Amino acid sequence: MADDPNTPWECEGAPPKYNKHELIENPAGTERCMICGRPRNYSGGGGSNNPPIPWSKVGAAAVILALLGGVGYGISGLFKPCPTGQQKQGFSCVAVAVKSTSTPTSTPTSTPTSTPTVTSTIERYSSGENRLFVGRANPDSERGIEAFRNGQYSQAVQDFEKAVSGDRNSPEHQIYLNNAKARLAGSPFLIGAVVPIDTAASSAEEMLRGVADAQTRFNQVGGLNGRLLEVIIANDSNDPQRATEVAKRLASDPNLLGVIGHNSSDASQAGLAEYKKAGVPMISPTSTSTALSGDNFFRTLPSDAINGQKLADYARYSLGIETVAIFYNPNSSYSKSLEIAFSQAFQQFGGRVVKTIDLSNQQLEPQREIQNLQGQTEAIVIFPNTAYISVAIALAVANNNQMKLLGGDALYNPNTLTSGSNAVEGLILAVPWFAEGKYAEAAERRWLGQVNWRTAMSFDATQAMINALSEQASRSSVLQNIRNISLSNADTSGNLLQFESTGDRQGDPILVQAVKGGRNAPKGTQFSFQPIK
């Protein structure tokens, strides 16, 4: 049977090119083994590797979570078998669950604990009538969902309150609790939050924690003249085609005032086209591509243009680097825009890009590429999109601190530190936020663990949407008010929030570096990201 690129695949190395290791299942959508860097469809000799093996287990998507920013545990957990009736969830075993499809109703450095699994039959929309994240048993939540579905909002509030107490770091329970209260109060303001639940559940929860924080604060003080905020959660799988479908569905609800999302730049670009047609304001907390623009588009983090320039400036003038080689994916809007921004700025500053290498090239071999670059460049710059983070880490391991290492914010997650270990020491990234200050402290207490930039930027996005509401709110009034938003540090995750005419947030990114020690190093590693002062 032909290998399906949308399924996970197995690798145990292929000596001598790729070191032999224990058999590991790599996530769907990744093109390189996250241990040795071997290409998915590698057919070279020198080893006893089996060809890629399609894998259809329900829990497959969960492995991606560990790779793309879940809790930082050691890799050995992947090799332990699960008891009967359970499947792999990242590095843990969870019970298998199956859900049916349905339609919407209209009207933590390390993250907190493990991420729930998702199912092969996917729920895509919910204000409280469906469970989108499954795998963590919570009977109170199930009862709350049933009550919410039946319009019994008072009972739903009681059940969701118990669910929140029993699972403190689940933003889904908190949002559903807030929504039930909003339905009870009557005439809620409705916004959407679009996240990639089935393909990147960890990132999805990180984003929703920020949304839940802002929603909770607003609703707890009585909202606006007694009207509370309802958030409908939608799952776009980080897929542009699915994002288009989700955007159409959300925009078709006349009560919807705006959208927080999407996650990836490609998904955001697809959704934005639909929101433009319907005049729906969109604030993305995580999409940085310079290809994103429009009268109804905003983002709460710096664009790739600013990130690339900041990184190039530091490389050229603070580190004194004169030559770089850049690895990027030309097929990714995010990756490509970062490469363009960095290259242009670095060359304007008098530096030279000696080579650009396509991360998506099936024939790319990290060890060989690094060997070929020795003596040609002082530094390598890696801008992977999420599907190629494993390739980026394999390049860092092959480099083994020989050349200076810089990269994009997609690498700002615990897995970079746990998988890269000593090889990523000194790695420099331009990122939108660092966990310090009042909001970071409050969020850490609320979610029982340090939150990351996705949570912070989602909090800011929701705060902007909330502060754009008015008694007679409409899409056009919310859109106009967002343009004029000015929130102080006390009302955001720590920095002033204002938007440029382009929709970009005013302000600069933060430079961080992977160092040994430091506060809140992820479990399983001595390294942490710390700001460069």
Side-chain angles (χ1 to χ4, degrees), residues 5-58:
N6 295 316
T7 61
W9 55 284
E10 296 182 346
C11 179
E12 57 183 0
K17 285 189 176 181
Y18 303 99
N19 295 332
K20 187 171 179 61
H21 53 78
E22 294 182 81
L23 186 68
I24 181 174
E25 287 163 334
N26 290 281
T30 58
E31 299 300 327
R32 294 275 175 171
C33 175
M34 61 184 180
I35 298 297
C36 68
R38 198 208 80 183
R40 179 185 182 106
N41 293 311
Y42 179 70
S43 58
S48 59
N49 259 56
N50 295 319
I53 300 173
W55 183 54
S56 59
K57 295 179 182 178
V58 172

Side-chain angles (χ1 to χ4, degrees), residues 261-343:
H262 300 213
N263 177 42
S264 74
S265 291
D266 291 335
S268 287
Q269 191 167 16
L272 179 58
E274 299 303 322
Y275 300 133
K276 283 181 179 178
K277 296 175 187 176
V280 176
M282 169 186 173
I283 308 178
S284 175
T286 58
S287 299
T288 57
S289 170
T290 54
L292 290 165
S293 64
D295 292 340
N296 65 320
F297 174 76
F298 306 87
R299 59 177 139 224
T300 50
L301 72 174
S303 72
D304 288 336
I306 303 299
N307 290 333
Q309 183 174 13
K310 179 89 170 184
L311 201 60
D313 180 276
Y314 188 80
R316 184 70 188 91
Y317 295 120
S318 296
L319 299 180
I321 294 172
E322 296 182 353
T323 56
V324 300
I326 302 176
F327 292 84
Y328 79 110
N329 179 6
N331 303 308
S332 161
S333 175
Y334 158 77
S335 185
K336 184 178 180 179
S337 63
L338 254 182
E339 185 275 328
I340 291 173
F342 179 91
S343 293

